[in-house]
Amino acid sequence: MDSKLILIEGLPGSGKSTTARLVHEVLMQKGIESELFCEGDLDHPADYESVAFFENDEWHRLLGEYSSFRDQIIEKSYQGNNGYLLPYKKLGPDIPDTFYEKVFKNDIYELPLDQNMKLIIKNWERFSNRAASGKKVHIFECCFIQNPVTVGMIKYGAPPIKVRNYVLALENSVKKLNPILIYISQDNLDFSFKKALKERPQSWSEGFINYYTNQGYGKKNHLSGAEGTLKVLKARRQAEEEILKELSIRKAVINNSAYDEHSHKAALENLLINHPTKKGNN
């Protein structure tokens, strides 16, 4: 196959994780070298997961305040974008909680939206340049559309055009990789969301509902609880559908309402292996 990047997107409970795993299986079974990066991967090559950004003055103040851990912090950090990047979850367990509380405020997904966009887009560009010279197919679960929409619309309540332009900038950065976007859809969003709430830990459910209703879009529209979160998700689905229409990369929408792994894998194999050059939506 001529693609070096496969992007898996969809709403919570749609089956993104399963789809990403199955895509990896299909490629490996066909002898195609590939690597899967799931949501939350600390070693993600394009996205930033649990990485904080500090401008020069902030960085030196942090090192001064936690001087006893200076060498440990410096060892894990690296320079970039006129500042310092710190994958803080890669530090050892001896780091005090106060450090993590301070650093989290500088997490790239806690920064103002414009700064977040600048850092993320630049990282995708770096990834694309590296990946273009290799043969490996990279599989990304839910960071191409989900993260821009989540941070832009849900966290900050940004206007649709800004969120759309964020995703389009990411698209532009990876076009050289001939990416394929697979969007997993569900007929019944209420069912798939409640299924996710039931299957995942209570801490995930509480954090998810809080994130979706107590800031940005949810707060602006006075939404709360699981029902309020569902309304935000429906607005998110509409936003993502509009973004899908704007994307020019190869894309396919696959319905996973049956949650049948065998037929789902067959559909993915048909898309990726049997018809690898087909354009547009399925």
Side-chain angles (χ1 to χ4, degrees), residues 202-236:
Q202 184 178 350
S203 58
W204 179 89
S205 301
E206 291 173 351
F208 189 90
I209 290 170
N210 178 65
Y211 191 96
Y212 269 61
T213 59
N214 290 335
Q215 54 185 348
Y217 184 94
K219 193 172 183 179
K220 186 187 299 183
N221 289 279
H222 310 290
L223 301 173
S224 63
E227 292 305 314
T229 303
L230 189 55
K231 290 181 180 179
V232 181
L233 280 169
K234 289 178 178 177
R236 174 183 154 184

Side-chain angles (χ1 to χ4, degrees), residues 3-275:
S3 175
K4 295 179 181 178
L5 177 62
I6 299 175
L7 304 159
I8 314 296
E9 295 288 338
L11 297 183
S14 61
K16 297 188 301 296
S17 298
T18 298
T19 301
R21 173 176 58 80
L22 292 175
V23 166
H24 193 217
E25 284 182 14
V26 166
L27 296 185
M28 296 298 283
Q29 287 168 2
K30 296 297 180 180
I32 300 170
E33 183 184 4
S34 61
E35 188 169 5
L36 170 61
F37 294 92
C38 295
E39 185 175 11
D41 194 320
L42 296 179
D43 295 314
H44 201 288
D47 195 33
Y48 284 120
E49 175 62 39
S50 299
V51 177
F53 174 77
F54 300 88
E55 294 181 347
N56 291 330
D57 290 346
E58 294 177 301
W59 178 247
H60 292 297
R61 283 198 299 271
L62 181 73
L63 293 179
E65 186 173 350
Y66 292 91
S67 56
S68 56
F69 301 97
R70 180 185 178 92
D71 292 344
Q72 198 171 342
I73 295 168
I74 289 175
E75 182 185 359
K76 295 296 183 183
S77 67
Y78 54 98
Q79 285 185 280
N81 299 91
N82 299 315
Y84 292 83
L85 293 148
L86 178 65
Y88 56 88
K89 283 195 176 178
K90 291 186 176 183
L91 295 171
D94 55 326
I95 305 291
D97 290 343
T98 55
F99 173 84
Y100 288 108
E101 290 167 6
K102 179 180 287 288
V103 166
F104 179 73
K105 295 176 183 177
N106 283 60
D107 186 288
I108 287 172
Y109 280 100
E110 294 297 316
L111 298 176
L113 183 55
D114 286 341
Q115 192 176 13
N116 167 275
M117 291 172 63
K118 182 178 178 180
L119 289 164
I120 296 288
I121 292 167
K122 189 67 178 177
N123 205 34
W124 278 73
E125 290 172 350
R126 282 193 291 264
F127 156 73
S128 184
N129 290 333
R130 292 192 305 268
S133 61
K135 295 182 179 180
K136 183 187 297 183
V137 178
H138 296 78
I139 305 163
F140 289 174
E141 179 203 358
C142 72
C143 59
F144 177 71
I145 293 178
Q146 174 177 286
N147 288 1
V149 172
T150 300
V151 73
M153 170 187 163
I154 295 168
K155 182 175 178 63
Y156 290 114
I161 189 170
K162 186 160 191 170
V163 178
R164 182 200 67 187
N165 288 343
Y166 190 170
V167 179
L168 291 178
L170 296 184
E171 178 192 41
N172 189 58
S173 73
V174 296
K175 278 185 176 178
K176 66 177 70 174
L177 304 180
N178 297 316
I180 301 171
L181 169 64
I182 302 173
Y183 194 91
I184 308 304
S185 68
Q186 289 287 342
D187 292 335
N188 190 329
L189 179 55
D190 299 55
F191 174 79
S192 58
F193 174 55
K194 289 171 183 176
K195 181 175 182 290
L197 291 181
K198 183 179 179 180
E199 293 176 347
R200 301 184 189 188
Q202 184 178 350
S203 58
W204 179 89
S205 301
E206 291 173 351
F208 189 90
I209 290 170
N210 178 65
Y211 191 96
Y212 269 61
T213 59
N214 290 335
Q215 54 185 348
Y217 184 94
K219 193 172 183 179
K220 186 187 299 183
N221 289 279
H222 310 290
L223 301 173
S224 63
E227 292 305 314
T229 303
L230 189 55
K231 290 181 180 179
V232 181
L233 280 169
K234 289 178 178 177
R236 174 183 154 184
R237 178 174 60 184
Q238 182 177 352
E240 293 187 359
E241 287 173 350
E242 291 300 316
I243 289 170
L244 279 171
K245 293 175 186 176
E246 296 289 326
L247 295 171
S248 60
I249 59 174
R250 183 184 169 204
K251 53 199 172 181
V253 178
I254 297 181
N255 191 294
N256 188 39
S257 297
Y259 290 105
D260 181 78
E261 191 167 309
H262 178 74
S263 62
H264 193 47
K265 184 175 181 179
L268 293 169
E269 185 171 353
N270 188 56
L271 169 69
L272 298 170
I273 306 300
N274 299 335
H275 300 285

